[in-house]
């Protein structure tokens, strides 16, 4: 059975509790539920959220070998964490970066990702659908 | 029955014929076939490809009112066509920008999209899967 | 009888139909009517609109010799069409660049015109009045 | 009877006396005469010229409430006087920035106005005609 | 008895009269009253407001020797007046720059102060409280 | 009873122990004592210091709801932690950024705060007085 | 018999008719004549000129397979047409970019070519001789 | 008898009173004395100092016609006063910009003069000697 | 006996396990062994690795007083951790920054270190030899 | 008989000996032979190579008067030698800059020539053919 | 007897022979004659000119100890020779940089001197007078 | 027996004679002595110093084939000599760039090396120790 890691970065634990006009009113728990439903039985999803950059790196390092893919929403670390970038390229795990909102229509600094260059691709703006689209990519690839 | 426009920009008519290492060996025809299969019966897809910036604008203007969404791969125009950007924001059509390759790991100039800021979102790097993910977004939204 | 060219660029055919809060509710047809009224009998106005950069160049090349002036709203091409700029400076036609809205209070990229440096002047922000002011300039000059 | 303020900034008192190849041979007095003729009887024009940035601000503050519009040629202050900009936006007076020459074809630093973003519009390059066009805008608006 | 100078720059004489959503509805007179109340009896406050950059310099030069501190809100001059900066560093008066609104959340150009580098510190965003905080600093220092 | 959070970032635990010429010889403990004295009885202060960016975010998230305000000295994170910025804007807690030294007269990189744009205001250069001024702001606001 | 494409971009149809001080008084027809004479009998030259970016792409796409080389003067598109660049790299046709005038001594924006990086080389400043030199390159290569 | 204007800008009235380590301990009066001695009998020197940008412009405008040259130390206005620059180029007076200290070894912003491009030359770093050298230039030129 | 700290930052725990073409096939354990051998008996080496920026700061703060020097490879934090920089300058520990690969021949962003300006020196590109060279520096200095 | 100077800059004496994948396996001697053959009998070629910037200038100064043209490959000096640029413009010799490889597809810094702006033209990317094309230009011009 | 070095850089040996409209028609010999006349008997002038950057450094190194001052016109090396800059600061010789023309009104690149920051001052635009003014400075200083 | 080249650039012949606070009081001769002692008997060191960029290139070209490594301190040429960079990459000699002081804590322009990208590595800030560390690298590699 294949394994997909789903990593959420800083402040994404607040999903659904704050700023609903930007991020909707569904929680991180709802998102995880939603993803589990979308995943076929033969795929295991391992969820992780942390506000600490280095803990995200620890998690990726420890789980990358048993995993077939990584869906990551690095939150604000998207824009400056070369350390997370290095963790992804060092472990060479197949990765899709996702964002709930369209980062390209927000502040200037949010439009640049230092992580996307080492990913398979990037999906932004589809709400929770961004995660689903990434998951589907891995499901299709597996088949 | 809802209608989705699928617009491909310059050089995408060469898909599958040139540079297979970057874009794969499937043609634009294959892509369209592939999308039609993925679309449920109740959705009509209207395809358009042109190398001419202004013709892409003409097409969007003429078809936006009857359409529920636009999937656009603006090719190289992604990086400088403020005119296509204006066509999308003027017609206010719900739009997803897609790219076959991950533009964020290519040349510097390809990492900036002047069109994405007026779109719902952007998907890049999933191959034809980028179009499928966009299509699924519209299918889900419709339901 | 003197001749004035009035060229409108991409998306200006949507005038009055979309984004009335920015551009008002008058159409391109209304604008042309309005200009014809303002023109004295002894001036012929030739109107042209296209979404295609190169067609705008074609029109300018073909009509510049018989014309005494050019009023041009290059739309989004204002910000990157060095080709239209070259058409104006090559034909050496007396040109005024006009904009309906005040481009200096909009997005950063809209504040720079690559075409204005080869024009007589630039007028922005007066609504249809921008065209009228340009027309008056040519009328005064003629007398 | 409506009132329009006409403010000229630094060195514009030299009009017609220096650099005729750029600014023509008409004086500031000629300009004022010319504007008075163009104004209908029912409009009062109040003229002001100063080389001192702060005096221009004083004038705008003191006269903005009784005035219906402001035509301003800020001279070189155009390019750095955020203080004049603030005076205009604080008093919320309807303002058109004018320039005799086409600032967009001169030195790089002259192509940027820090004042235009808080104005109704900007007119440049029409000689004294720039002022006339601004005046006409206010006359039309009044009617 | 110690003396504190309170200098307000361009457009601050409009306080409370314009743009209340940004600056509140209290006038410059109210501010001065408010400060006088907050000052202990043993401190003399000397107020000055001008729209003219050079008059602000004149005032600082003439009063710096008898004063123990300077509270200055340079208004828009904050962003370009190297001349006021030089007046402060030449007279070596202990200075705190204050702003009513938070300049760091406004337009890009308002986020940079050319004067703060020669001041003791900078306080912004606390409304009239910015002045009070500066005053308290001098009161504490004196004790 | 109202509650104010006081968060100090990286290396501020060294206060008074290192670099006294820049930061004085008082310790973080002294600062906290000092603040408690300044606070009226009816205000509870909750102190937190960490060198870890994500722990600062954790603390803000966990305590923001019960708190009426946040005084934060983000240390070096001031200049790049978009993640802390997001924590503040997500929790919408009323925040004042403080700095002991005047960051505007130090190295170029220290003059820009990525956090201040989502704060009420910023106070720098008053030594421990920066914290006191922030505290006073909240005390005044409460009354 | 080998085939060489000769593509001229926007405004080059005006050659010899306008701006003789920059481009000489020979027409595009003269250039083509001149090239035909220089070509040996065994080489076929196919000429194309358009003001429309996308038509230049269409032409390159349709003729690249039967051709041995491409001589292109992209006119003003030189400086921003990533779409023409992509057409050349996608078809992988051996290409030399030519310019009549020395683009390196003209305006700043004319000194950068976005197309040259995918060409064999670039020749500028030799008048019609730039085309001849490119042609000679292909003749020599063939032999 | 020829006439030379000597204009000193903001804060130069403090010469000799403040910052002697940078500017020496001689006053503006000493400088003027010093220059008068250096001037031959047949040259009249007219001195002017102001902290107000616009007054410097007024002085230049009013005296340029009767003068043969201008020695100007614009102080901090050196770095942003395009208005003074325009006054010099408008009056076309032969001008030498002088600085007491070597502006090229001070802060970045002091190394750029917006006025020097319209002057005959610039002299910096020679103390009062900078003025003397400028004066000598005019004396030599006169002979 | 003197003490040298050896701190390795994010992803360096993967040494020898991933990307051997860049970093070789020796592990972090091998490196530490190698350094211990190179160290004379009279020097104690204390090793530390963490993916968490703040933990690196904690370690430096806690051990700097008993240590005579610090050898640090900050990994990707090299390029943005002003917080680690501050920890080094606050503790004033004699520090050498090391890198296994030559950061000057890699991506643009890797060529700038925000930490090196507060170090004794920087060594890059010598593989494990970079650490040895740093160690030798401290050994020599001690003798 | 006309005379053409052929100057090669730093490291071009290594031609054919190093980096054949970039520069081919022909030596500088081969190049000179090749050029002599291409030159008609009536043209004298004077060759010069030096690694020393100033010697290249010496050579140009000493031989420019007797020469009808200069073919120069400035090697790496292309990108920063304003001194060679000045030598060419001072002697006003008709000059063509040549490069063996296409400098526009190499590192960023190689794409800018500080010398080309004072040359007749620039040819790059044709191998030794770049020199031949330049020679032909002079031969044609002579006839 | 005091000694002053007078060093002229690349292409200044062409003085009076080329580009008289910029540099006048006097030769380097004339300049040296002119300076000798201006020097009092008690000052020895040692002249040097070279097109080779390193030879200029050699000369400065070898003669700095016996000299009391250096007048240098670094020609184009002004704009990039950090090596000459280092020679001046290493030998700590009192230096004045001179230019015949006003470098501040020429091309952008000529407006920046990398050498001036280590000089006493800079004089430009006075023709040969720039050298004389520098010489006078040393004569005055000696007395 | 292996051979190592040791090349020192401009002004390094002044070592120990000037600026001891930056470079210490040991001479270039001392350095060479010191290196010879550190080298094992089986390694030959060839020393070279020049102030002339091109002579450094000459030396590298002539000696690279017989050498096993190059230790180079390019002095100020570090920051702009693309010609030395090309000499190193053309000869493909294994090279370590060294600096006595820590270039990363000096002026902005000294922090960028255009040569390091073609070297094995870079060592700065260890005083003469930088050379020793480089030498040790070659000694270790040889063994």
């Amino acid at each position: 059975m294949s394994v997909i890691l789903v990593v959420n970065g800083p402040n994404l634990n607040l999903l659904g509790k704050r700023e609903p006009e930007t991020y909707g009113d569904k929680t991180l728990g709802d998102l995880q539920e939603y993803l589990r439903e979308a995943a076929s039985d033969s795929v295991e999803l391992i969820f992780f959220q942390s506000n600490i950059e280095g803990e995200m790196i620890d998690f990726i390092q420890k789980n990358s070998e048993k995993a077939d893919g990584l869906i990551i929403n690095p939150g604000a670390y998207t824009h400056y964490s070369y350390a997370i970038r290095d963790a992804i390229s060092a472990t060479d795990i197949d990765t899709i970066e996702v964002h709930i909102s369209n980062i390209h229509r927000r502040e200037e600094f949010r439009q640049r990702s230092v992580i996307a260059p080492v990913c398979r691709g990037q999906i932004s703006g589809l709400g929770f659908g961004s995660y689903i689209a990434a998951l589907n990519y891995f499901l299709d690839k597996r088949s």
Side-chain angles (χ1 to χ4, degrees), chain A:
Chain A
M1 196 172 83
S2 71
V3 173
I4 303 294
L5 311 177
V6 181
V7 174
N8 280 288
N11 299 303
L12 285 157
N13 55 327
L14 298 182
L15 261 187
K17 298 172 187 160
R18 306 291 170 84
E19 302 182 295
E21 71 291 352
T22 310
Y23 298 107
D25 57 1
K26 299 293 193 225
T27 68
L28 186 57
D30 295 335
L31 169 63
Q32 297 179 353
E33 189 102 347
Y34 189 37
L35 282 166
R36 254 192 253 281
E37 277 170 35
S40 66
D41 280 357
S42 57
V43 171
E44 185 190 358
L45 298 180
I46 306 182
F47 296 105
F48 184 74
Q49 191 277 334
S50 175
N51 292 326
I52 299 177
E53 185 180 8
E55 284 185 0
M56 293 170 69
I57 296 168
D58 287 347
F59 178 84
I60 294 169
Q61 288 185 354
K62 277 174 200 142
N63 295 281
S64 66
E65 261 177 84
K66 71 165 166 272
D68 300 280
L70 166 63
I71 298 170
I72 187 167
N73 180 341
Y77 291 140
T78 302
H79 316 301
Y80 58 106
S81 181
Y82 290 107
I84 294 176
R85 172 196 178 119
D86 280 1
I88 291 171
S89 68
T91 58
D92 204 25
I93 187 169
D94 197 7
T95 302
I96 297 181
E97 183 186 306
V98 296
H99 297 281
I100 292 171
S101 65
N102 180 354
I103 60 174
H104 305 291
R105 69 191 309 164
R106 299 185 63 191
E107 302 97 321
E108 181 71 21
F109 73 83
R110 289 199 207 273
Q111 299 182 23
R112 193 180 68 106
S113 166
V114 303
I115 294 172
V118 300
C119 296
R120 160 85 43 193
Q122 187 199 54
I123 303 171
S124 74
L126 309 190
F128 283 3
S130 295
Y131 292 81
I132 297 293
L135 179 60
N136 285 340
Y137 172 79
F138 287 120
L139 295 179
D140 286 2
K141 178 186 161 196
R142 200 182 45 108
S143 63

